[in-house]
């Protein structure tokens, strides 16, 4: 996304409001989700525990709900002059919801691996288009032009599928995502990528 340097109050309102809202939404929604799914058909065997008990699946809905609320608050906290940033937020939200929907459909009906690989790509194209419209078409110092639309969608697809593959052991995906997110947050601070910080937090 295009780097934007806002004043401290604007940046602070973005980060604090969106981060707190996302955390609280996830924190309160997940216990209810786990309780509601327990005993339903949306469960699977925990292969890493003795006896392989049935545990609720589709926990990603709780994370997506937190991200949805966080982005909503970030949009509300933004000023009218931040319309380009809001466009990026909406596109990122669409890509995240799309990836979540692919996971939901896969849990319910089972999708072919090829389908799971390409659906996030199609749903991430609007985010690539938003990046292209922002004028920030450079990746690793190379101006990709309109090809950045495909490059961004491929990046989202790779990240979504990699995250899905990490869930082989309890806590592995979550733990690694915390480490990676914290690293990218530090890099965003260093590079002054305000929009990236809002989405990450």
């Amino acid at each position: 996304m295009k780097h934007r340097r806002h004043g401290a109050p604007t940046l602070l309102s973005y980060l604090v409001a969106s981060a707190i809202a996302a955390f609280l939404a996830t924190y309160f929604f997940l216990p209810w989700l786990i309780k509601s799914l327990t005993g339903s058909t949306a469960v699977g065997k925990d292969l890493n525990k003795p006896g392989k008990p049935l545990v609720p699946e589709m926990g990603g809905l709780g994370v997506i709900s937190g991200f949805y609320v966080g982005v909503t608050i970030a949009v509300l906290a933004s000023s009218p002059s931040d319309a380009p940033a809001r466009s990026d937020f909406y596109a990122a939200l669409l890509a995240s919801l799309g990836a979540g929907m692919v996971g939901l459909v896969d849990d319910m009906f089972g999708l072919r691996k090829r389908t799971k690989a390409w659906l996030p790509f199609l749903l991430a194209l609007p985010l690539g288009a938003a990046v292209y419209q922002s004028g920030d078409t450079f990746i690793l110092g190379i101006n990709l032009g309109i090809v950045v639309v495909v490059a961004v969608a491929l990046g989202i697809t790779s990240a979504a599928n990699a995250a899905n593959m990490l869930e082989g052991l309890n806590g592995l995906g979550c733990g690694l995502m915390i480490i990676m997110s914290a690293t990218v947050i530090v890099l965003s601070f260093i590079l002054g990528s305000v929009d990236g910080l809002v989405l990450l937090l």
Side-chain angles (χ1 to χ4, degrees):
M1 291 185 181
K2 190 173 182 178
H3 298 335
R4 300 184 181 85
R5 293 186 179 273
H6 298 290
T10 303
L11 172 60
L12 185 62
S13 64
Y14 271 124
L15 298 183
V16 173
S18 60
I20 291 178
F23 173 78
L24 290 177
T26 307
Y27 182 81
F28 287 110
F29 181 68
L30 269 177
W32 174 85
L33 180 64
I34 292 172
K35 183 178 180 180
S36 299
L37 293 177
T38 301
S40 70
T41 57
V43 294
K45 291 183 179 180
D46 188 340
L47 302 179
N48 303 298
K49 286 191 174 68
K52 300 178 181 179
L54 294 177
V55 295
E57 293 184 334
M58 297 192 294
L61 291 174
V63 179
I64 291 175
S65 68
F67 185 69
Y68 186 91
V69 171
V71 171
T72 301
I73 297 300
V75 171
L76 291 174
S78 63
S79 63
S81 62
D82 291 327
R86 291 202 296 268
S87 175
D88 291 345
F89 294 158
Y90 290 136
L93 182 61
L94 179 61
S96 299
L97 291 177
M101 178 172 292
V102 172
L104 179 63
V105 173
D106 182 38
D107 284 339
M108 294 177 66
F109 306 108
L111 294 175
R112 293 181 178 179
K113 292 183 179 180
R114 183 179 302 178
T115 304
K116 288 191 289 184
W118 284 104
L119 272 180
F121 172 81
L122 295 176
L123 296 169
L125 286 174
L127 179 57
V131 173
Y132 173 72
Q133 287 295 326
S134 73
D136 188 14
T137 59
F138 285 84
I139 294 181
L140 299 177
I142 302 174
N143 187 359
L144 298 181
I146 197 169
V147 179
V148 77
V149 176
V150 176
V152 169
L154 283 175
I156 296 295
T157 303
S158 300
N161 283 282
N164 192 39
M165 292 167 61
L166 285 173
E167 291 300 334
L169 294 173
N170 294 343
L172 179 62
C174 181
L176 287 177
M177 288 301 168
I178 290 173
I179 294 172
M180 288 187 283
S181 296
T183 302
V184 178
I185 286 172
V186 172
L187 291 175
S188 296
F189 268 113
I190 294 174
L191 297 175
S193 179
V194 176
D195 296 346
L197 280 173
V198 174
L199 294 175
L200 281 164
L201 290 171

